[in-house]
Amino acid sequence: MSLRDGHNGAVGARIGESLRGKSGRTFWRSLDELAGTEDFRRFLEAEFPSIAPDAGSVNRRALLKIMGASLAMAGLAGCGGETDEEALPYVVAPENVIPGNPKWYATSVTFGGYAQPVLGKTHTGRPVKLEGNPDHPAAKGATDAFTQAALIGLYDPDRTKAPLHLGRATTWSTFDAAIREQAEKLDGTKGQGLRLLTGAVSSPTLQRQIGDLLRRWPNARWHAFEPAQETTRRDASRQVFGEPLDWHLRLDKAAVIVALDDDLLGPGPRQVHHGRMWSERRQAFHNGKAACTLLVAEPTPSLTGTMATERLVVPHARIAILLAAFAQALGLQSGVQAPLDEAAKAFAEHALERCRRNPGAALISVGAQHAAELQALALLVNERLGALGNTLGFTDPVIAEPPDGSASLEALVSDMSRGQVGTLLILDCNPAYTAPVDLDFADVIERVPLRLHAGLHHDETAALCHWHLPLQHDLEAWTDARAVDGTVGIIQPLVRPFYDVRSKHVLLENIAGRFDATDRDLVQATWRTAWGQDFDARWRDTLYRGFIPDSVLPEKAPTFNTNPITLPQPPKADGLTVLFRPDPTIWDGRFANNAWLQELPKPIGKIVWGNAVFIAPALAGKLEVENGNEVRVSQDGAAVTGPVWIVPGQEPDTIVLTLGYGRRISGEDIGGGLLHELGYDATPLRRAAGPWALAGAEIAVTGNHQDIASTQYHSAMDGYDFVRTVSAPDEQAAEKKKQPSFYPNRKWDSPSWGMSVDVDLCIGCNACVVACMAENNIPVVGKELVAMGREMHWLRIDRYHEGDPADPAMYFQPVPCMHCEQAPCEMGCPVNATTHSPDGLNQQIYNRCIGTRTCSSFCPYKVRHFNWFDYTADDPPETQAARNPDVTVRQRGVMEKCTYCVQRIREAQISAQKDGRILVDGDVRTACQQACPTQAISFGDVIDPESAVSRRKASPRDYTLLEEVNTRPRTTYLARITESVPGKAKS
Amino acid sequence: MTDLTAHPPRGRRYAEITGEITRVPLDFPQRRNWWILFSFSLLLLLVFIVSAGVLFTFGVGVWGNNIPVNWGIAISNYVFFLGIGHAGTLISAMLLVLNENWRNSLNRFAEAMTLVAVTCAGLYPILHLGRPWLFYWMALYPNTMTIQPQFRSPLTWDFFAVLTYLTVSLLFWYIGILPDLAASRDRARKRRWQVFYGLISLGWRGSAFHWARWRTCYAITAVIAVPLVVSVHSEISLLFAAGPIPGWTSTVFPPYFVLGAAFSGFAVVSMIAVVLRHAFGLYAFVTDRHLDLLAKMLLTTGLMTAYGYCIEVFDALYSGEKQDIATMFDRLTGGVAWSYWSAVICNFVPLQLLWLARVRRNPWLLFLISLSATIGMWFERYMLLVSSLYRDYLVSSWDSYFPSFWEWSLFAGMLGVFLTPFLLFVRFLPMMSAFEIKEAVFEQEQEGEEPRHA
Amino acid sequence: MPQIFTASADTRLRATALVIALAVVGAVLLGGGYMGSSYATLVGWVRHQPVPFSHEHHVGALGIDCRYCHTTVETSASAGFPPTHVCMTCHSQVWTGAPMLALVRQSLADNTPLRWNRVARLPDYVFFNHSIHVARGVPCVTCHGRVDKMPLMTRAHPFQMQWCLDCHRNPAPHLRPPDEITRMDWSAWDKDAAHKNYGALMVKAYGIQPSKLDACTVCHR
Amino acid sequence: MREPTAKNPLFGLMAEFDDGERLMEAARSARDAGFRRMDAYTPFPIEGLAELVGFRDNRLPWIFLAGGIGGAAIGFFMQAGISLAYPLDVGGRPTVAVPAFMLITFELLVLGAVSAGIFGMLLLNHLPRLHHPVFGAPNFALASSNKFFLVILGNDQKFDPKKTRAFLERLKPVAVGEIARAEEPE
C-alpha cells in the first residue's frame, strides 16, 4: 500500500553544467523520438510491467531488478552481496540515452493552477529527481516541498490506471463511443446543459480550448473552483479599479512589510517566489545594504510570524480594526471605530512609524482569507504609503477568471439544484470533498444526468460520477501553465505515461467529439498561432529553457475610483473563533496519497500523518487538556472532533483546523483505506460565506485520546542556546577561540567540505527535507513508527519557542549531520563502518555497518537514523523506479545519516577530472541547498577562503551548535537577528 | 550437624567431607524437585529461542527502541548479567589471595554462576545487533576487505574483555574443580559415572608433584584474576563513559560500575548459597558463619555503591555543566525517576537490616534482602542507560522508551539460559570444594600440635 | 581397585585431541582458501550464455575495438552492453543464416532483448565508474584480463575489495596512455625503457593522490 | 621426575597411611634413608610434602610471565599494526592511540598469562593421564578421599623389592603393597 511503502527519490548533478552541456535540440528531440517510437514503449513496459494492465502475472521485482542490472544502476538491492544477474541490452538503442548517465529536461509541475518550474532528472527514461530551474525569473532555481514531492506523485501506485464506468474498469474506446454520441446531442442544443468544472486554470492551451468549446457551444458554461485562492483580492481590485487584477507583492523592494494575518512566506503556490524575494532583501540587510523589517499581526503562528521582527498576537476579527487604525492614521475613513488595546496600539505605532520612514518601500498586506473590503482598504492604505508601482504591482489575472468570478461554484451548484445541468465534466478538482458544506455539492450533483470526472485518483468526486477518466501526471504530459509571476512554462513529459491515461487537453477535445489530436499537437497549436513562422525555433528554445522568456503579463497602472470603503462591522467576539487553513503538507487533500508529504512534519507543531485541533496554551489550561486529548468543536449543530495540539503563540480564543484529512474514501480507492483513518474532516464547519473563519464556536472535551505522531515533542528552548540571537548583523554570536583537544591537530587540504546554515533566513518550509528524501532514497516508515520515534529524515527542521508561551519568540533550525572533525560516533563504531574521509566527510558505510547503534548513542545531535525493519524490500516497482541509482538502498539493521550528498561530490569530482577542470565553488550543490527558496543553506570547500561557505563562516554571526561538546562540527550556523522590540520582554 | 570447617572435631574423618559433597551428584537426593525446576528452566529456554527467532526474523524493530533511545533493556541487561558474573571470580580469587578459608564452601558454585551469567551477558550484544549474522566482524580475522575491528571503540574493548573474562573464569573454575572430579570418579560405583568423571578429571591422582604445581598455578591465576575482574567492568562502564552524553560521560563510572557489580554478585551468591544449603542439607559447609560473612560483604559493597550514588549527584553538580545537572535532576524527578527510586529503595533500604547479626544469620531474610538488591541493581542499570539517552543534548530529539513484549520475553528466556546450565552443574558436578575444606581442616589440626623438627 | 581405563585409553585420548586440533586448523585454512579460490571469486568460470559469443574471435582474430560494442565506456559509469542492433550491423551481412545466431536475429525480429549472464559485476553497494578509469588510462585488460584469449567470457581477476585497493593505493604501475586504452597486449610497451616512469609521471600529471583513493566513499555511497 | 617404565619389573612399593603427618614423617625418613625416586599421593595439597619427595621444579611462574608478555605484545602490536595497515581517520584520534589500545593489551596479557600457565601446569603434570599404574593399587580409590600414600618407585637406585618393603613397614603404615609395572598399551 503506497502510503506505507518507503518512497525513494533520486539524485541530481550540477544543473547549469548539465543543461548548457547539451543543445536544446538534442534535448527535446531525443525525448520526442523516444516517446514516439514503439520500441521505447516496449522498453518501458519491460521496465514498468505495471503499465500493462495484465502485468499481475509478471514478477515485477525481478524484472525491475533486471532492468537495474542492465542499465548499470546500483542501489536497488541494498546491501545484498553478489548475486547472479542477467543483463538485458536494448534491441535498438534509443538516441542520446547513455545508461548510467542522467538526462535533464526543463519543465514544470502545476500546483493550484500555477506552474512550478523544475529541471527533471531522468535515468534511462525514469524520472528520479526534480530540481528548481535556476534560470526561471520567479523561482530562480528554488522549489517548495510540494514540487519536490511531485515526483513520487508520478509513481503513485494508487493512481487510476484505466477509465472507470459506474465504478467498473472499462476501456477508452467505450468512452470514446459514448462521448461521441453525447457530443452530437450537444451540437444539436448548442451545448445546452453542458457544464465544465475545472480547478484554477492558468494554461493558455486550456484557456484556448475552453474558449473554442464555448464558442462552438454558446449554451455551455465553464466554472472553476480552487479551494485556496486569492479571489478576495481580485474582487477588491474590481471594487477599487473596476477590473479584476492580480497583486504582485515585491518583497525584495520592501524595507517594511506589515503582514496582517497574511502568511507571505507560508506554504502555497507563491511560497518560493515570495521566499526568494524576501531572502534577497534580507541578505542585503545582512550586508548592511538595506533595511528589512517584517511586522506580523496574526491569530496563530505562521512561517511569516516566526520570521517576524515584531509579532502581534491578535484575534482574527480584530485584523479589520487594526487595518482601520492604519487607515485612519493615514486619513482614510473605513466606518470602523474600535479601540485598540495597548499591545496593538504599540504595534500599529511602530509599524506606521517605520512605514513613514521608508516612503515607497513599505508594504501592507492582509491575508487573502479576509474579506474583499479589507483588501480594498489595504489597497488604499498602500496607495497612501506609496507602495503602488514600487512594492506592489498589478497585472491581469494569471489564473483565468471564470464567468461567475469568485462565485463560480455557487452558480454551478444553484444551476444543478435547479436541474439546469445535463452534462457535467469535472476536470482535475474534487469539490465533493473540498467544497464548503452548506453548498451540499454531493447531494445536488446527483441531479445531473451525466457526470464525468477526470483526475489522477478515484476520489470523493469520482465516486459520485458515472465516468472516472484517469489523467496524466504533469511529468508525463504535454501542457503549459503560467508561474505565479505570469511567466509561461511549457510542460514537456519526462516519461511517457505508463498507465492507460489521457491528457486533459485531449479529454477536452474528446468532449467536443474530436479524437485525433495528441496532447503535444494541442499545446503546439496554441503557440503556433501565437508565434507564427518562427514557431520552430522558439518552441525548441522554450523546451530547452522550460519557460518562455519575458512572458510575464504586462504591468498595469490602474486608476482609483475614489468611492470610500466601508468595512463590514466585525462580529461581536463571543465564544471562540475557528480558523481554517489548508494543510501545510497535503494542502486541501490533493497530496493525501503522497507518502513523502504525509510523513513531512508540519512546520508548526511538527506532527505527521494527520491533523489536529490547534489551540493556545491558555485555552488548553482552561480546558485542562494535553496534546492528543480529543475535543469537539461545534457551532449550531455542526461539529468536528479531533485531538488537541497546543501551539504556543496562538491567540487564546482561536482554534485552528486544517483541511485535507478525514477523507471519505473507501478502501478500494486511493490510500487503500488508510486515508479515512487519518485525522478529521474540517468541512462540516465550513460555510460558503466566510469559508476561512467561523465565529461563535464552542469547544468541549470528549474525554477520549487520539494518538498524534510528531517528530518533535519538546520545542521550549529551556534557556539553552541552540538557536543564538544577535541584535545586529555585525554582532558577534560566539567568541572565536581555538578549543583545546587531546587529539592531534589535523591539517586539511582543499577541498574539504562544510556547510553553513543561516537560521535568520530559514523559513522552515521543508523543501530541503523532501529534496533530501528524494535525493537519498530515504524510506517512509508510516505513522506508527514515527510515533515510536523512528522517522528517517536525514535532515530535520527543529522548531523552538522561547519566552512566554502566550507570545514567544520562535525559531526554525535545520539540523543535518554535523560532520564533526572529532566525531564521537566514529570513535564508537567497533567495525570501522563510520570513519572520516580525507575531504572532511563523516562517512557512513552501510555495507560495513552491523547495527550496534553505538554511533547514534554517542551522537550529541541525534542525526543518525536506523533501519529498524526492512523498509525497502516490499516497495512496489513504481516506487522502486523512483529511486536514485547513485545511492545505496539501505538494508535492515544498518545506520544511515546525512552524507553531504557525497554521491554529488564524487560525481562532480569525476566529471571535473574527466574534462580536466579543477572543481570550483558551486560545482557541488547538496539537494537541500539546491531546493532552499531562501538560500539559507550554503555548502562548499571550507579551506578555500573565497568559497561562499567560507565567507559565511567568516561572518560574526557564525556559531557552532553544542560548541561545549567540542566535536568540531563542519556544519555551523549563522545566528538569528532579532531587533530588540520596545515593550516586549525577551527571555 | 556441626560445623566441619570452623572447628573440626579432632580426628574427624576427611571421608565424611568428601562423602557429603560427592554424594550430591552421585546419588542425587532431590531428583523430583530438580526435574520440576529443570523443566521450568527448559521452558524458559524455549521462550528464549522463540524470542530470538522473532528478533532475527523481523529485526530489532520488534523491540521498543528508537532514536534517541537506541539501546534498551538489551544493553542494560548485558551490564546487569556481567555485574552478577563478577562475584564468583571475585570471591574465589580475592579471598584466596587473602587466604580466607571460608571461601572454600562458596567459591565453586559462585564461579559456576559466574560462567553462566557471563554467557548470558555475552549473548545480549550479539542479539541486539541490527545485522546479528555479521557479529564476527567485531572479531579479528583475515578477510578480503582488509578491514578489521576499530580498536578505539568501547565495544571492541568489551568484546575482548568479555571473551578474556569468560575464558579465564572457565579455566580457573576447571582447575579448581579438577581434584574433586577425581574424588567423584573414585567414589563412583557405576561404570558410566566412573568413565564420565574419569575423563573430565583428566586422570588426576593427587600426586605430591601435581599438587605442588597445581598450587602455584592456582595462586598465580587468582592474583591475576583480581585485576581482571576490576578491568572488565571498568571497560563495560566505558561503553557509556567514553561517549559525550550527559549523565554518562563521567569519571566515576568505572569504580561505580565495579562496586555495583560486586554488590549484585554477592547478592546472587547469597541467594544461591541459602537455597543450595537448604536443598541439600549442606548446613555443615554453608554454616551461619558463612551467611554472616556473606551478609557483611553484601553490606560493605552495598554501602560503597550507595556512596557511588552520592558521588554521581555531586559529580553532576560540581561539574557545573547545565546539561549534566539537567540530566541529574531529570533522573531524580523526570520520566524514568521511577527506576531511579526503585533502585535506591530496593538496593539500600532492606540492606540496612544487615547491621543486625540476627538478620545476617537468618537465611531467608538474607535471601529476601539479596533478592531485593538484585532487583535494585537491575533498575539501576536500566536507569543509567535510559535516563541519559531519552533526554540528551538537543531538546528537539527528546523521546520516550517503552520496552516491547519481545524485550521482556527475551529477558525471561535469558533466565532460562542462566538456569539450565547451572542446574546441570548442581546435578552432575561437586558443587563445593571438598579438598580445600579438607586442607583447611588439616592445617588447623597441624596448628593444634607443636611443630616438629627434621 | 581395578583400572577404569586401559593403558591404550591415553593413546586414544591424545589421538582424539590431535584430530580435533587438526580439524580446527583445517577448517580455518579451508575457509581462508575458499575465499581466495575461484569458487568464491568466480575467476575463470565460464557462465552459460544464450549466444556463445567469442571475444577471442571478435577481439583477437577480427581486432574489433572494445568500444565498438561497449560504446559508453568512456562517457558513462557503465561500459554498456551492445544493443542487438549492433550485432546485426555485421551479422546482417556475414553469417546471416548461422543457426548459432538464431537468437540474435529473433531478438531483433520480435524486439525482445537478449538475456546475457553477467560475468564481471560488482555488488550493488559498490559504485564503479568506467569513464574515469578509462580517462586516467587504466586499460581494459587490467580488470577484464586478456579477453582476446577468451573463447567464452570469464572473470579474469577476483573482484574483491582487497584487489581494488591494491591498485587504488598504488595506481602508477597500472596507468597507460588513454588513447591505447583498449590494447590487450602491453608486454612490448612495458619493455620499452622510455615507459619506465610513465605511471609515476602520470600520477603527478593528473594530480592523483593515492592517499585519498582508499577513502570509503570513493566506492561506497 | 622420571617414572618407571614397562622395563622395570615393578612400578614401585606403596605404603598407605591414614594421616597427613604420618605421611610427612614417612617421606622424611625415606628421604633420610637415601631414597630419591618416590612419590606421595594425598587427598589435598600438603605444605612441604612435594619437596620431601624430591620436587625441584619452578618453571611454572616463568611460563606465566612468558604467556603474559607474549599476550601483551600480541595485543598491542596487533592493534597498532592493523591501524597502520589501513590508516582510517577515526574521530580525529591518533592512528596509534596508545591509551585506547592499553585496555585490549591488558586483556590479552591476562589471557596469555593464565592460559599459558594453566595449560603449562597440565603439561608439566603429564595430564591428562587416564591410565596409571597407581590406579591399580589397592585402596588407591581413597587417595582422593582420606588415605595418604607414599610410593617408592621401582627405578630408584636403592630400590630392592625386599629391603624397601621392610623399610616401608618400619614406618608403621596401615598397609604396604606392590604396584604392578605399567602395562604396554595394546
Side-chain angles (χ1 to χ4, degrees), chain A residues 252-266:
Chain A
D252 52 344
K253 295 202 170 62
V256 184
I257 303 166
V258 182
L260 301 178
D261 193 12
D262 186 4
D263 194 0
L264 297 163
L265 303 175

Side-chain angles (χ1 to χ4, degrees), chain A residues 893-912:
Chain A
V894 305
M895 193 63 73
E896 61 184 68
K897 68 160 191 71
C898 160
T899 61
Y900 274 168
C901 288
V902 63
Q903 65 279 10
R904 292 186 175 209
I905 298 176
R906 299 295 174 234
E907 201 283 338
Q909 288 173 324
I910 286 175
S911 44

Side-chain angles (χ1 to χ4, degrees), chain A residues 149-349:
Chain A
L151 178 76
I152 210 66
L154 165 71
Y155 291 106
D156 182 351
D158 291 342
R159 276 175 59 191
T160 318
K161 299 179 175 65
L164 297 176
H165 183 234
L166 305 173
R168 276 187 310 283
T170 176
T171 62
W172 282 108
S173 47
T174 25
F175 167 75
D176 294 346
I179 204 65
R180 180 174 281 114
E181 77 192 41
Q182 181 66 19
E184 281 148 11
K185 283 212 212 82
L186 287 166
D187 274 327
T189 64
K190 293 263 166 288
Q192 188 58 45
L194 170 64
R195 299 306 175 94
L196 174 63
L197 175 62
T198 65
V201 174
S202 72
S203 159
T205 302
L206 201 56
Q207 289 177 37
R208 176 182 64 83
Q209 288 183 288
I210 294 172
D212 297 349
L213 195 73
L214 297 181
R215 262 191 298 288
R216 175 172 163 195
W217 292 335
N219 300 343
R221 198 168 179 79
W222 164 48
H223 304 268
F225 172 61
E226 184 69 30
Q229 236 194 141
E230 298 165 345
T231 49
T232 54
R233 286 189 178 161
R234 247 183 248 168
D235 298 347
S237 42
R238 197 182 276 107
Q239 189 177 349
V240 176
F241 304 129
E243 55 180 329
L245 294 176
D246 262 16
W247 304 15
H248 298 281
L249 313 181
R250 307 268 157 75
L251 304 187
D252 52 344
K253 295 202 170 62
V256 184
I257 303 166
V258 182
L260 301 178
D261 193 12
D262 186 4
D263 194 0
L264 297 163
L265 303 175
R270 295 191 185 274
Q271 182 174 38
V272 173
H273 189 40
H274 280 170
R276 185 57 187 246
M277 286 190 291
W278 175 77
S279 96
E280 275 165 18
R281 183 81 190 189
R282 192 72 183 170
Q283 291 178 67
F285 165 67
H286 292 160
N287 307 332
K289 293 195 182 64
C292 176
T293 29
L294 176 59
L295 296 101
V296 178
E298 60 183 3
T300 181
S302 66
L303 304 194
T304 318
T306 306
M307 303 314 292
T309 324
E310 182 176 350
R311 180 173 178 268
L312 173 70
V313 181
V314 56
H316 177 82
R318 295 189 71 81
I319 292 290
I321 297 166
L322 202 54
L323 180 64
F326 275 98
Q328 201 162 17
L330 295 164
L332 288 164
Q333 292 312 318
S334 61
V336 173
Q337 295 292 8
L340 293 175
D341 59 26
E342 277 318 306
K345 201 181 269 103
F347 177 85
E349 279 159 9

Side-chain angles (χ1 to χ4, degrees), chain A residues 197 224-227 406-418 431-447 683-691:
Chain A
L197 175 62
F225 172 61
E226 184 69 30
S406 48
S408 189
L409 183 64
E410 288 83 342
L412 173 64
V413 167
S414 62
D415 290 358
M416 288 197 297
S417 53
R418 278 188 274 106
Y433 171 71
T434 51
V437 66
D438 53 355
L439 292 180
D440 298 329
F441 186 90
D443 303 340
V444 293
I445 195 178
E446 299 289 348
R447 306 190 191 158
T683 318
L685 288 178
R686 291 187 73 208
R687 310 273 192 278

Side-chain angles (χ1 to χ4, degrees), chain A residues 352-552:
Chain A
L352 274 165
E353 186 266 334
R354 280 202 168 88
C355 293
R356 289 211 180 84
R357 246 196 285 136
N358 299 281
L363 174 67
I364 287 189
S365 75
V366 177
Q369 68 273 26
H370 287 271
E373 292 81 359
L374 269 74
Q375 305 293 346
L377 187 59
L379 273 180
L380 299 187
V381 170
N382 276 315
E383 196 271 340
R384 290 289 169 99
L385 293 172
L388 271 57
N390 296 318
T391 56
L392 180 58
F394 301 96
T395 66
D396 283 325
V398 168
I399 298 290
E401 185 81 339
D404 304 296
S406 48
S408 189
L409 183 64
E410 288 83 342
L412 173 64
V413 167
S414 62
D415 290 358
M416 288 197 297
S417 53
R418 278 188 274 106
Q420 294 178 350
V421 181
T423 309
L424 175 63
L425 170 61
I426 302 173
L427 201 56
D428 202 9
C429 79
N430 184 13
Y433 171 71
T434 51
V437 66
D438 53 355
L439 292 180
D440 298 329
F441 186 90
D443 303 340
V444 293
I445 195 178
E446 299 289 348
R447 306 190 191 158
V448 180
L450 178 57
R451 313 185 286 271
L452 307 95
H453 172 269
L456 272 72
H457 294 112
H458 190 269
D459 54 23
E460 290 87 346
T461 312
L464 294 171
C465 294
H466 302 110
W467 288 92
H468 170 54
L469 309 165
L471 280 185
Q472 292 175 341
H473 189 278
D474 291 329
L475 294 177
E476 55 189 6
W478 282 100
T479 171
D480 51 15
R482 289 184 179 272
V484 284
D485 68 340
T487 306
V488 177
I490 301 287
I491 297 178
Q492 62 172 326
L494 301 185
V495 59
R496 287 313 275 164
F498 40 84
Y499 298 140
D500 195 6
V501 295
R502 275 189 188 173
S503 147
K504 51 179 178 287
H505 301 302
V506 172
L507 215 50
L508 218 49
E509 290 293 291
N510 301 155
I511 294 296
R514 290 193 292 273
F515 298 91
D516 39 14
T518 71
D519 49 354
R520 182 154 157 264
D521 306 339
L522 291 164
V523 178
Q524 284 187 329
T526 314
W527 298 103
R528 195 166 265 115
T529 45
W531 289 335
Q533 27 273 73
D534 59 353
F535 166 78
D536 285 328
R538 291 189 66 175
W539 175 257
R540 247 177 255 130
D541 177 61
T542 308
L543 288 185
Y544 161 66
R545 297 174 185 276
F547 59 92
I548 302 174
D550 315 322
S551 55
V552 290

